[in-house]
Amino acid sequence: MTKRFVMIAAVVVTAVAVRSVAPYAQMRESLFARTSLLDVGPGSGQVVLVDLDRDGHVDLITRHLLQRRVSVFLGDGKGDFRRFPNESLVLDYRPGMIAVADLNADSFADITVASSERDEVDLFFGDGKGGFARAAGAPFSTSDSRESMTRGVQLADANSDELLDIITFNGLENTFAILLGDGHGHFSPGPRVKGERSKQQRYVFAFADLDRNGYIDAVIGTRDADTRRQGRLTVLWGDENGGFKERSAPLTVESNPTFITLADINADRAPDIVVSHGGSTELTLLINDRGRFSPAPASPLDIGTEAYAVLVQDANGDSRPDLLVATAGSATVLLNDGRNRFVPAPGSPFEATRGAYRIAAIDIDGNGKLDIVTSSFETNRIAVLLAR
């Protein structure tokens, strides 16, 4: 991890390393003291929490697909946010996923935005005050595909040079492409991987170094138009030459994999696989044992309501990885009981607003405890849940 990335990510690391508190399994109080609603405008499909102006307070970025904008709100360190005067990046395309990190070594957070209308990724450099300006040469094209769909983007060190790269992915064509960063905000074409595709199928992606060899790996979920058919996960292993290879047969999972999260759920420092399934109340949990994956004792985990995006973070300060799940009109928190099983936190699920398909978590108000923000694609107001 480079020095540049550490400076931007520091606020997130601090939030996760919350102080030890009495396990909530022994408490009757709700995990969160209050929920407030923040008007960010219609159609927030993704929320990102990061300190943009380096004042020590967490700020908020929201992505609005149908409105063709990305908006910025500055935090006061107490749980409230105010709209930045130049509050929006107004785009000439519908934005897909966004990702935030320092990409040009100036210690300020930058924003990458995937297009939903073509295989391109846009880049905006932050000025350290909450403002952003498009990088020279952006947007960057990764293919000539122009099919309309919500494309994805992730920032990671793909080639083990300790510099962040941009990974973009296309869920219609089963492709992903890597743009290699030089650490100063310039990017050059890297590997482009194209898998087999069917017009009856859609594909979801996640990236992490699964075997901890220093090279990024990919997990691709395949869902069929016929939701009665089982889904599958294909693992592609990256190598020092920029190639990706499939070492074993795909993993069979419940139908319609919709979101994939790669994170350590059993505290052994190896990324595991968590999958939510459209139309289902169950999560698939697969434990990573040196590159081999098997169901966790709790898998499949029925959380009682349809799951969308999932985060893996310590929600109650007991140093165990917990599950934070966006559940459409609520946020569901499942606490790790120390045996890699998960139980609902006191008060869970926590009411949010309609269209809470995405979730973000960090210590917003500086009390050493994890807070949650959920998106709201179907209303103007997102939910901010502050921990007790």
Side-chain angles (χ1 to χ4, degrees), residues 9-292:
V11 66
V12 178
V13 174
T14 301
V16 176
V18 296
R19 65 174 180 263
S20 179
V21 298
Y24 273 88
Q26 301 176 14
M27 301 178 65
R28 296 181 182 276
E29 289 184 316
S30 172
L31 196 63
F32 297 97
R34 69 181 177 94
T35 299
S36 59
L37 302 180
L38 174 66
D39 192 336
V40 298
S44 60
Q46 186 181 355
V47 290
V48 176
L49 297 168
V50 63
D51 184 358
L52 295 174
D53 54 2
R54 300 180 67 192
D55 64 353
H57 302 324
V58 174
D59 305 310
L60 170 70
I61 303 172
T62 59
R63 185 262 295 178
H64 303 260
L65 183 144
L66 298 180
Q67 290 71 34
R68 299 183 177 233
R69 64 180 172 88
V70 174
S71 295
V72 174
F73 301 81
L74 299 183
D76 65 358
K78 299 178 182 179
D80 295 319
F81 298 88
R82 63 178 175 84
R83 194 179 296 268
F84 188 66
N86 300 318
E87 52 93 10
S88 291
L89 296 175
V90 179
L91 308 169
D92 61 359
Y93 57 86
R94 291 183 174 184
M97 288 177 59
I98 62 176
V100 180
D102 177 20
L103 296 174
N104 62 345
D106 63 358
S107 301
F108 303 142
D110 308 311
I111 300 178
T112 53
V113 185
S115 170
S116 287
E117 298 169 5
R118 57 186 71 90
D119 275 355
E120 289 184 349
V121 61
D122 223 340
L123 172 58
F124 297 87
F125 290 141
D127 63 6
K129 300 177 182 178
F132 293 87
R134 179 175 271 132
F140 308 108
S141 177
T142 58
S143 86
D144 58 2
S145 174
R146 291 182 176 273
E147 292 182 273
S148 180
M149 52 88 58
T150 304
R151 292 166 172 82
V153 62
Q154 183 173 324
L155 302 175
D157 178 7
N159 58 350
S160 197
D161 63 357
E162 297 188 337
L163 301 172
L164 285 176
D165 308 306
I166 300 174
I167 307 173
T168 63
F169 35 102
N170 182 322
L172 281 180
E173 296 192 349
N174 193 16
T175 61
F176 66 90
I178 298 175
L179 296 173
L180 299 174
D182 66 358
H184 299 286
H186 304 109
F187 293 86
S188 59
R192 184 171 188 270
V193 178
K194 184 176 180 61
E196 295 183 0
R197 64 166 293 198
S198 166
K199 291 185 178 180
Q200 303 303 314
Q201 295 172 334
R202 296 294 181 266
Y203 308 90
V204 291
F205 298 78
F207 302 86
D209 182 2
L210 297 172
D211 52 4
R212 293 182 288 179
N213 67 348
Y215 301 101
I216 209 75
D217 309 303
V219 177
I220 304 171
T222 301
R223 64 180 191 265
D224 201 282
D226 183 352
T227 57
R228 296 171 297 178
R229 296 182 181 178
Q230 289 182 306
R232 69 174 187 268
L233 303 180
T234 300
V235 182
L236 299 180
W237 303 92
D239 60 32
E240 67 275 12
N241 299 314
F244 289 84
K245 295 181 181 179
E246 186 177 351
R247 296 180 189 166
S248 57
L251 303 166
T252 300
V253 294
E254 186 178 339
S255 66
N256 204 20
T258 303
F259 287 90
I260 301 175
T261 300
L262 304 181
D264 180 12
I265 64 172
N266 64 341
D268 67 354
R269 300 185 179 180
D272 306 303
I273 302 175
V274 181
V275 186
S276 63
H277 304 268
S280 171
T281 62
E282 294 185 330
L283 297 176
T284 296
L285 311 177
L286 300 176
I287 299 298
N288 181 359
D289 181 10
R290 289 172 288 188
R292 296 181 180 180

Side-chain angles (χ1 to χ4, degrees), residues 309-313 315 322-326 332-334 359 361 370 372:
V310 181
L311 292 180
V312 178
Q313 291 186 232
D322 306 312
L323 303 179
L324 289 65
V325 190
T332 295
V333 178
L334 302 161
I359 189 168
L370 200 67
I372 285 177

